[in-house]
Amino acid sequence: MADLKVDFCGIESPNPFWLASAPPTNTGAQVERAFAAGWGGAVWKTLGNPIVNVSSRFGGLDYGSQRMMGLNNIELITDRPLEVNLREMAQVKRRYPKHVLVASLMVDTKAEWQEIIKKVEDVGCDALELNFGCPHGMCERGMGSAVGAEPKVLRELTSWVMECANVPVIVKLTPNVGDITEPASAAMEAGTSAISLINTVKSIMGVDLDRMVPLPRVGDASSNGGYCGPAVKPIALHLLGQVARLPNVVPISGIGGIATWRDAAEFMALGSTTVQVCTAVMHYGYRIVEDMIEGLSDFLDDRGMSSAMELVGRAVPNYRNWGDLDMNHHVVAEIDPERCIGCQLCFVSCMDGSHQCIHLPGMSEEEKRRRGHVVFPAEVPDRAALGEGAIAGARVPWVHAEECVGCNLCQLVCPVEGCISMRERRKGEARLSWNERIASGDDLVPGGLDATRAARAGRSEGGGE
Amino acid sequence: MSRDPRHLEGGRLEERLPDKKPRYDAAEARFEAYRCIYCSDAPCVQACPTGIDIPTFIHKLSTGNVRGAARTIFEENLLGRSCARVCPVEVLCAGSCVVGEWGREPIAIGRLQRFATEAALELDPALLAPRRLPKTGKRIALIGAGPASLACAGQLALDGHEAVILEMRDIPGGLNTYGIAPYKMQAEDALREVEFIESLGSIEIRTGVQVVAQAQAQADAPRGTQLSAASLLADFDAIFIGIGLGPDSALGIPGEEGEGVMGATALIERIKRDPSFSLEGVRAAAIIGGGNTAIDAARELALLGVPEVVMIYRRGSERMSGYVHEMAKARQEGVRLIEARQPVEVLREQGKLVGLRLAETVDGEPQPGATQTLRCDLVATAIGQARLTELAAAFEGVELDARGRVRIEESSCRTGHPLVYAGGDCVNGGKEVVNAAQHGKLAARAITRTFSEGAG
């Protein structure tokens, strides 16, 4: 069985699964229950000068029958007295010495930073996480994402911390910026030990149309909150990938919509050494970690990896710029009559959402024209849909391979697993990217603007051809 | 004649009956798993006699963690594979499903469990090998190779002990092999599960071995086919009794002896095991009884094409012990129920079965006076089974209750003898496979506990 232990900037964690700084890490009793359930680490609910919270605080976004695909909150940092938090942290660390306890911090002045760092180090925290990401409430007071969005400020505050910290420091970044590499680079320039990302995304969850008040509602008004949950995972993966491919990058703790072992494995492949989870625990409880541990362990075994560390960063080299992708790679869709149930979702999505290359058998050319086809293949094979549960008499839609651009849409909408597969049909043997075409002077695609063509011709002449 | 206990001959009637709930494919399983709302302290777990953490295994299926799902199932029930198919989920887990209570179709827990266990063992036949503890050198004899003993032996093997199962018949699996309605599970599948249990560790199944109170020195009996209770106590560190029930009870009415009349469990066994058994020429069959065995036998006959299948029950249908959902399916398949009647004579012409004489009953008791005749050419009795009590009582200290069931302490399944444990039908008088699995597990856990305390 694979070893799930990870080394995160010198800190050994029993597994890569940490709880993010959030309501599930609000108290010592909670964190102890989480560790007992199997979580390897926890980032305590952000400490600072205690605040006052409003009600209500959370808003959920459902999709179909799935509740809480996304969650947002306008809760601030801890509202409990600092000494209570510190006492409980010390107790957790005594009872669970091998688990990782990280103090998330958010204060204002240099003196405050120095004082709070001393206090959390005294109770035995393994690391500090600087909350430069919270995008609601605290940012209005010049903290949280207000720091994360200003690389210069971020660099200065991180330097203050690095001056006095004796344990590793993690800078937590906000996704609410134009280019994530700027704050990430600023943190590294200031000497941070690690980076965590993403904090929540600025959001408004909806509007109460009876009261004309955005959600979640606080009396007669609302404010923007921080968005998280499965919905933000693709955004988080992108920002993670951006940071992970920076040169000499520090270890990363990935955050954003992680709910399953598979999500965790994806974050690790894209450069996270540990992952932090919040929304899935808020939805289903600490118990989900059992599946994460077991699923990741089995996955590593399957891939012949003996340690979770071997997975970290495996996919990073394959995250490239568009201009470096192989344009000769080409796939076309193929529909399996043995599995097709005749729902025709592929047909309608291709007709209206893609390239009109899926045909239904038995249609006259006139009817095809009316339905929107523009290319008319000589013959459309008429095959019965044989999938289990197929509609009686249903026919299998047919992909006109010469016209198929290989977009995947039909496969994405098909409800039957394995029914539509994308077959590789390369356009050329050699690998050829757009950047390579530019380099070889073959970047003109017919049918464009006259001005562009003229400018290009001018360039070629100027180039002394 | 010695035969391979794992081999079933082809051409058995059960092979003609299709699986009523075929296995999900991966996409179907995921679709269904997503419907589960992942309750906490879920009622389905409370309703499962073995206490499988159902929401957790379904959650794992939804994440694609098929092996993890199976581990969660096997953690509490090593017979999770057959239970997935034979459990009356309608009155157990699925019957208490929150989604079902909510007016929607309950989660198909049985079908998800079947997918999880079968798919996981295909991926990794040695799925539970990492759970196996080092060898302890302790040896346990288990009497009977039915579900209770198999569940017990599997757990004992995982705990590092050596299990020796002694089976009187020529084939292992007990009622799982020769008593389950074929449209739920066929004998072949039950034997696959026996192989899975055997793979868990040191388990030996000896078929054709009878455990008796006192071994008779029989000149004609091959050596080793009879073992005495006393010799087991001498040779093993603990004993588990999982002997099930005895033969079908007889009606005790005139004309019963002779061809055409058989016990319902015997009939089902022939459908499942005997390639020479045929229902050709049977026009009408009568099943006596109102329990699940009666319903199973009736449904099997109807599905196998017997034109007229009648169940005769001595009380009103509301008093039947058979499940309502099973009786409803039986009716759909053409089974007719005659209530408040009891056969008082088996009618024969020149020895050949031609029908039954039925008396009216009041509160289950036959009344004198007018009777009616029911024409039939096959009669199966499903009015209970004998208790195999003699053997259990051969161990000193083992007590039986008034109904001939072995008395145990519920949490450990220990009998009055400190080294003898018991479980399954011989303890509960005849319940589900899942109840036997729970007994087997509890007994094994108690045995392991005792050993470690003893070593302690």
Side-chain angles (χ1 to χ4, degrees), chain A residues 256-328:
Chain A
I258 297 162
T260 71
W261 65 271
R262 191 182 290 275
D263 298 331
E266 292 175 17
F267 272 74
M268 294 178 76
L270 215 44
S272 304
T273 304
T274 61
V275 294
Q276 298 184 25
V277 179
C278 169
T279 309
V281 166
M282 291 180 70
H283 196 162
Y284 297 118
Y286 300 123
R287 58 186 168 152
I288 60 166
V289 76
E290 179 183 325
D291 167 63
M292 302 180 90
I293 290 171
E294 202 170 30
L296 182 66
S297 173
D298 283 349
F299 169 78
L300 294 171
D301 288 347
D302 287 349
R303 302 302 151 109
M305 295 187 220
S306 58
S307 156
M309 292 302 286
E310 287 180 49
L311 174 59
V312 177
R314 282 268 177 127
V316 174
N318 301 326
Y319 168 43
R320 311 250 178 98
N321 288 346
W322 189 94
D324 294 327
L325 302 180
D326 180 11
M327 312 201 84
N328 276 339

Side-chain angles (χ1 to χ4, degrees), chain A residues 382-397:
Chain A
D382 184 8
R383 302 168 298 174
L386 303 172
E388 201 178 323
I391 302 151
R395 317 311 295 173
V396 183

Side-chain angles (χ1 to χ4, degrees), chain A residues 1 65-66 259-262 284 287-288 290-292 294-295 298-299 301-302 339 388 415-417, chain B residues 22 26-28 30 34 37-40 55-56 59-60 63-65 67-69 71-72 130-131:
Chain A
M1 285 216 289
S65 60
Q66 178 61 46
T260 71
W261 65 271
R262 191 182 290 275
Y284 297 118
R287 58 186 168 152
I288 60 166
E290 179 183 325
D291 167 63
M292 302 180 90
E294 202 170 30
D298 283 349
F299 169 78
D301 288 347
D302 287 349
R339 297 184 188 226
E388 201 178 323
V416 182
E417 189 162 273
Chain B
E28 289 170 320
R30 202 169 51 236
Y34 278 136
I37 56 176
Y38 199 6
C39 303
S40 173
T56 292
H59 172 72
K60 289 178 178 178
T63 76
N65 180 7
R67 285 167 291 184
R71 287 188 198 107
T72 297
R131 293 267 168 100

Side-chain angles (χ1 to χ4, degrees), chain B residues 171-193:
Chain B
I171 196 165
L175 282 174
N176 255 7
T177 304
Y178 50 79
I180 300 295
Y183 41 82
K184 292 180 183 165
M185 187 172 74
Q186 303 209 344
E188 198 76 45
D189 297 311
L191 292 178
R192 294 294 82 76
E193 184 169 68

Side-chain angles (χ1 to χ4, degrees), chain B residues 78-82 176 189-197:
Chain B
L78 289 171
L79 301 186
R81 225 172 121 133
S82 56
N176 255 7
D189 297 311
L191 292 178
R192 294 294 82 76
E193 184 169 68
V194 172
E195 285 168 8
F196 163 67
I197 293 291

Side-chain angles (χ1 to χ4, degrees), chain B residues 88-112:
Chain B
V89 293
E90 294 86 347
V91 298
L92 296 174
C93 53
S96 68
C97 173
V98 171
V99 173
E101 294 292 317
W102 199 16
R104 292 156 170 81
E105 192 64 27
I107 307 301
I109 299 170
R111 300 189 71 177
L112 287 174

